[in-house]
Amino acid sequence: MRDDFVDLVSRDLREVRWPEPADIRARARRRSRRTAVAAAMAVLALASASVVAVAARTGAAPTVAGPLSQPDPVGGEVPSFVLLSGNDLPVRANIQLGDIGLGEPVRVDPLLERCAAENGVPPESVESRYSRSRNLLQASTAGRDSTGGMPVLAQDVYRLGRAGSAQVFADLDRYVRACASWRQTTPAERDGHRGTVSIQHSWQVTARDFAGDRSVLLRHTEAPAPGPQLVQPTAGEDLRAVVQVGDLVTVLAPQGGVRNRSVPLVDGDELRALGRTAADRMCDFTSPPC
């Protein structure tokens, strides 16, 4: 009888599907973040109760500051269902990597922020309540097995308040106005000779309001700056779409393109279509929902 019991337990254990280590770590991060938020809310509730109790003893009515009298609806974590998948893209993408965040700054284009700062427009950080990101990659077709791949699309989704969402687009317009033309010069070395490499950058908003409550299509180009150079840089172009639906803002950044011809470039029409798909996904998870 003991041998039969041992065999039964062993057979059952073999059929158990254990979570992957990455899933276990992600669940632990989410649990710890939820615990931190719950603790903060508990402290806030205790402080509010103390104010009411003191007011009751003194006979005074409790007062609340103006902005807190009409708070933003507070949504929860950004679910993974909001993000685009490889099936949504016009090119093959069969690997996806992702992460979640709490209190992360909204980043549209770090290079644009650097340009704006050098042109006298210091970036203003807009912090999200929750965020989730996903990188879609194209697996290598080489004979060897590889866990890496060629990047195709990067997406970030941020949950913000009303003021934060408006600030993201206002800042983006300020940065673009300051960076219609920007020359970036960096030191370079080639064959033992030292010199510089200069690239001429430019940003423009090429489309607006094509998806969601508010949206922009941002085009960045770079070309060799005029004059002799130690190394001749390659001309390039990339696009980004920023879309807002309610309290959610997403940044879509196609990867690859002219500097990596093995990955087809997602063009402007395709990116606008992806922006509309992303807006439809976000609509069900805004706070309040669409």
Side-chain angles (χ1 to χ4, degrees):
M1 180 65 70
R2 175 180 173 82
D3 292 340
D4 293 340
F5 176 74
V6 171
D7 291 340
L8 178 62
V9 172
S10 299
R11 187 167 57 253
D12 289 343
L13 286 174
R14 285 196 299 271
E15 296 176 356
V16 173
R17 298 182 64 183
W18 301 102
E20 294 294 330
D23 292 337
I24 295 174
R25 289 192 296 269
R27 292 175 188 175
R29 287 197 301 268
R30 289 195 294 271
R31 186 174 295 113
S32 62
R33 286 167 180 156
R34 283 194 292 267
T35 300
V37 172
M41 294 299 292
V43 170
L44 181 60
L46 180 59
S48 300
S50 300
V51 170
V52 172
V54 170
R57 287 196 299 269
T58 60
T63 59
V64 180
L68 295 179
S69 61
Q70 293 181 339
D72 283 342
V74 179
E77 278 187 3
V78 178
S80 61
F81 313 109
V82 169
L83 294 146
L84 298 176
S85 68
N87 295 330
D88 298 310
L89 303 188
V91 296
R92 184 171 62 90
N94 47 8
I95 297 177
Q96 65 180 38
L97 305 173
D99 198 7
I100 56 177
L102 180 67
E104 298 289 338
V106 178
R107 306 303 300 271
V108 175
D109 186 342
L111 186 60
L112 175 59
E113 293 179 3
R114 178 179 171 185
C115 167
E118 292 193 8
N119 283 292
V121 183
E124 297 182 13
S125 178
V126 178
E127 191 173 278
S128 62
R129 289 168 174 162
Y130 302 95
S131 63
R132 187 178 288 270
S133 63
R134 175 172 290 170
N135 289 289
L136 298 170
L137 304 95
Q138 187 177 105
S140 173
T141 57
R144 66 182 185 280
D145 183 28
S146 174
T147 57
M150 295 175 292
V152 178
L153 180 81
Q155 181 183 12
D156 298 303
V157 179
Y158 303 94
R159 191 179 293 282
L160 305 164
R162 291 188 296 262
S165 299
Q167 189 67 43
V168 168
F169 287 89
D171 288 346
L172 190 57
D173 284 336
R174 291 192 303 114
Y175 302 158
V176 169
R177 284 195 298 268
C179 294
S181 180
W182 178 52
R183 180 166 179 160
Q184 181 189 31
T185 301
T186 57
E189 184 174 345
R190 181 178 182 181
D191 300 330
H193 299 284
R194 294 183 178 180
T196 60
V197 172
S198 293
I199 301 174
Q200 197 72 34
H201 296 270
S202 179
W203 283 266
Q204 302 90 25
V205 172
T206 60
R208 293 182 186 270
D209 299 329
F210 52 86
D213 298 331
R214 181 163 32 187
S215 55
V216 298
L217 186 68
L218 183 65
R219 178 174 178 260
H220 165 233
T221 58
E222 56 184 47
Q229 302 200 55
L230 186 64
V231 179
Q232 191 74 357
T234 304
E237 171 185 313
D238 59 76
L239 299 171
R240 291 171 194 261
V242 186
V243 180
Q244 176 199 352
V245 179
D247 66 338
L248 294 178
V249 171
T250 188
V251 179
L252 301 171
Q255 308 295 297
V258 293
R259 283 168 291 178
N260 185 358
R261 295 184 181 276
S262 59
V263 180
L265 178 68
V266 176
D267 64 27
D269 290 338
E270 293 167 336
L271 186 54
R272 284 193 292 270
L274 289 175
R276 290 189 286 271
T277 301
D280 290 341
R281 298 274 170 83
M282 293 190 294
C283 195
D284 292 334
F285 297 98
T286 60
S287 181
C290 297

